[in-house]
Amino acid sequence: MTGSTWQYTLLYDGGCPLCLREVRFLQRRDRQNRIQFVDIDAPDYDPERYAGISYEQAMGRIHAIRNDGAILQDVEVFRQLYTAIGLGWIYAPTRWSLLRSLIDWVYSLWADRRLALTGRPDLATLAANRQCSDRCQVSS
C-alpha cells in the first residue's frame, strides 16, 4: 500500500453485526489511518494476500497483521488496535497477569460461540457454502 500510514490490517467478519459495530467504532476513531480493514466474509477475500490466514482461521478467531508481518490473534488484537487509536488505556488492565488469563479465556468462549450467538450457521456450514459459491462462480 504505497503512501499508506496503516500499521495494522484487521481481518473482520462483515457478516457479524457485533463485529461490524466494533469495526465502525475503530474506523471513526482511526483518524490517522493506522488500521486497514479487510472483510473476510467478502467473496474476494484471498488468504494469500493476508499472511495465508484462511477463511476458516479468520472466522474462528479475530486476527490482525502488523505491517512488520507479525500476526496477532484474540484479545491481543484489541490491545494493540486500541493503543494505535489512542485508547490503549481501555485494554491496559487486560495486560495484568491474572486479568489477562481471565479475559483471554472469556474471549475464547465468545469466539467459540460467536456465530451461534449472532444467529449465523456454524463455521463448517459457512465454509462449505463459501466453497460451493466459489465453484459455482468458476463453472458459470
Side-chain angles (χ1 to χ4, degrees):
M1 247 190 157
T2 306
S4 176
T5 59
W6 63 268
Q7 297 172 348
Y8 300 90
T9 298
L10 174 64
L11 306 181
Y12 72 94
D13 176 6
C16 170
L18 295 174
C19 302
L20 285 176
R21 175 184 246 180
E22 183 73 19
V23 163
R24 287 185 191 116
F25 173 78
L26 290 168
Q27 287 173 327
R28 283 192 308 271
R29 297 298 304 226
D30 185 23
R31 295 182 187 104
Q32 296 179 325
N33 297 316
R34 293 191 170 149
I35 306 167
Q36 171 182 238
F37 298 88
V38 175
D39 180 0
I40 59 168
D41 200 41
D44 63 346
Y45 175 72
D46 178 6
E48 295 310 311
R49 293 185 61 204
Y50 303 102
I53 299 169
S54 72
Y55 172 79
E56 291 84 354
Q57 290 171 313
M59 287 294 280
R61 296 277 191 265
I62 193 160
H63 288 73
I65 306 162
R66 285 195 322 225
N67 63 0
D68 67 1
I71 297 171
L72 310 172
Q73 293 184 69
D74 302 336
V75 180
E76 188 60 28
V77 170
F78 299 106
R79 289 181 188 112
Q80 291 198 29
L81 293 183
Y82 272 65
T83 297
I85 62 170
L87 296 175
W89 58 271
I90 292 173
Y91 277 88
T94 71
R95 294 182 190 278
W96 304 338
S97 182
L98 183 60
L99 197 51
R100 181 184 194 115
S101 297
L102 176 64
I103 296 298
D104 289 347
W105 177 74
V106 169
Y107 175 82
S108 179
L109 290 176
W110 158 252
D112 290 342
R113 292 163 181 80
R114 174 182 71 86
L115 293 170
L117 292 171
T118 58
R120 304 201 36 228
D122 64 23
L123 182 53
T125 302
L126 287 173
N129 290 344
R130 185 177 189 86
Q131 289 175 351
C132 175
S133 176
D134 289 346
R135 282 193 308 270
C136 295
Q137 287 177 355
V138 170
S139 63
S140 296

